[in-house]
Amino acid sequence: GKDSVPDGGSDADVSLRTCCLKSGPISKASGSAYVEFGNTKVIASVFGPHAKRFGRANSDFTLGSGSLNCEVRFAPFARSDDSGDTERDAEGVGMTPEEHWLTENLVQSLAASIQLHRFPKSVLDVNVYILEDDGSAQAVATTCASLALVDSGVELYDIVAGCNVADCDGRLVVDPNKQQLDTADGYVSMALMPNHSKLTQFEVNGSFSVSRLGEVSSLGYNGCSTVARIMRDEAISAGRKHWA
């Protein structure tokens, strides 16, 4: 069913899209997760910690002694209009500008949640594959990657939940789909460590008045909190009692 976000007000669509979260779908990974919100579907895997290797991509983010390496990719069939592959190199190997941006965004969203000092001189790899993108893929990727980290058992300060809020012709929409985002006046993408009440990502796209931005931010914060509750429920059912 659908989960609703509190304090939306009369001009807001506060229902998250129908969602499914599953821990551990990839048995050979240290941790993994599958998450879908509406028709946006993402799978993430975690490998490591393992010994550092030289020559890693610039997605490598170092805090203290441990490192986090992320990679976000779109499946070739992720979008009905095939827009995700228009700027990939001729061999289809290189990352598109959007994949680079999503990768950098994911590193920023996750880094503060991981106790990287626990594995000095080692690296943790987080790979995210966007199977289908019907909007808010950035937020769903963050949620999925964090749930995979929980599944891996790596020591975390907190989980990270992502949520977008769009202003669609004066109506605020939580967890918007692609059509809503394409026609929105603007949207905000957020990532939250709920137990610490700390935002690890806050990105504004479009123009908002100060008061309207406050409304959008409040709704996004509550949206992240609702997503976090769903994540905790899945983590607990998968045996990660620490997140009760």
Side-chain angles (χ1 to χ4, degrees), residues 181-200:
L181 284 170
D182 286 347
T183 58
D185 299 319
Y187 69 94
V188 170
S189 187
M190 300 170 64
L192 174 72
M193 290 168 53
N195 295 334
H196 290 72
S197 300
K198 178 181 179 180
L199 289 175
T200 59

Side-chain angles (χ1 to χ4, degrees), residues 150-172:
V150 171
D151 184 58
S152 77
V154 69
E155 294 185 78
L156 305 173
Y157 294 109
D158 205 346
I159 57 176
V160 182
C163 186
N164 285 5
V165 179
D167 190 339
C168 300
D169 196 24
R171 183 174 180 81
L172 298 183

